[in-house]
Amino acid sequence: HWSASDYERQWKEGIHRIAEGARSSLLLTAYRGDGRGPHMLWAMWRDHDHVYGQACSVRSPTLAEPFDPWDAYAYVPPRMPVGKYAPPPTQWRIELDPFFASTFGLRVPFYSH
């Protein structure tokens, strides 16, 4: 239901939200349109020097209002830390410097200790 350029545009917007200081954001990976299928996304949370990401789904039938893929940030759930509940969710932890560098096409120097 979305073109590749729609996804790319949303991903850039979602990453820029984190870069501009938002505590959470998302990358929409499967927008199912107005149908009943679940919308898939990577929820992201900024925490100090890291960004955490977890795969999530949003089901349209359970929403009070239609799912708006261009303004879906309210659907990012609170982050569930790994190990708090079983089974643990798949989670990625990314340091902010490399995250932002790759986002903006910058090279981060690597220092050897």
Side-chain angles (χ1 to χ4, degrees):
H1 298 247
W2 255 17
S3 68
S5 63
D6 288 333
Y7 284 104
E8 289 174 3
R9 183 174 143 212
Q10 192 282 314
W11 295 348
K12 286 178 185 177
E13 179 183 303
I15 290 169
H16 277 88
R17 282 177 49 89
I18 292 286
E20 292 169 358
R23 303 307 300 167
S24 66
S25 191
L26 66 90
L27 305 178
L28 192 62
T29 58
Y31 172 56
R32 309 285 189 207
D34 294 332
R36 301 183 61 82
H39 309 292
M40 307 303 293
L41 57 95
W42 277 93
M44 298 185 300
W45 302 270
R46 184 174 178 164
D47 184 28
H48 303 291
D49 296 335
H50 295 89
V51 172
Y52 293 88
Q54 291 177 355
C56 298
S57 65
V58 176
R59 294 191 157 280
S60 290
T62 62
L63 303 177
E65 297 181 20
F67 182 82
D68 180 358
W70 296 110
D71 190 23
Y73 304 104
Y75 300 111
V76 174
R79 185 168 84 83
M80 183 178 7
V82 171
K84 186 173 182 178
Y85 302 101
T90 301
Q91 175 176 271
W92 297 96
R93 179 179 145 179
I94 308 152
E95 291 183 12
L96 278 182
D97 289 344
F99 178 80
F100 291 143
S102 66
T103 299
F104 299 110
L106 305 172
R107 295 183 63 94
V108 176
F110 291 96
Y111 301 98
S112 58
H113 300 288

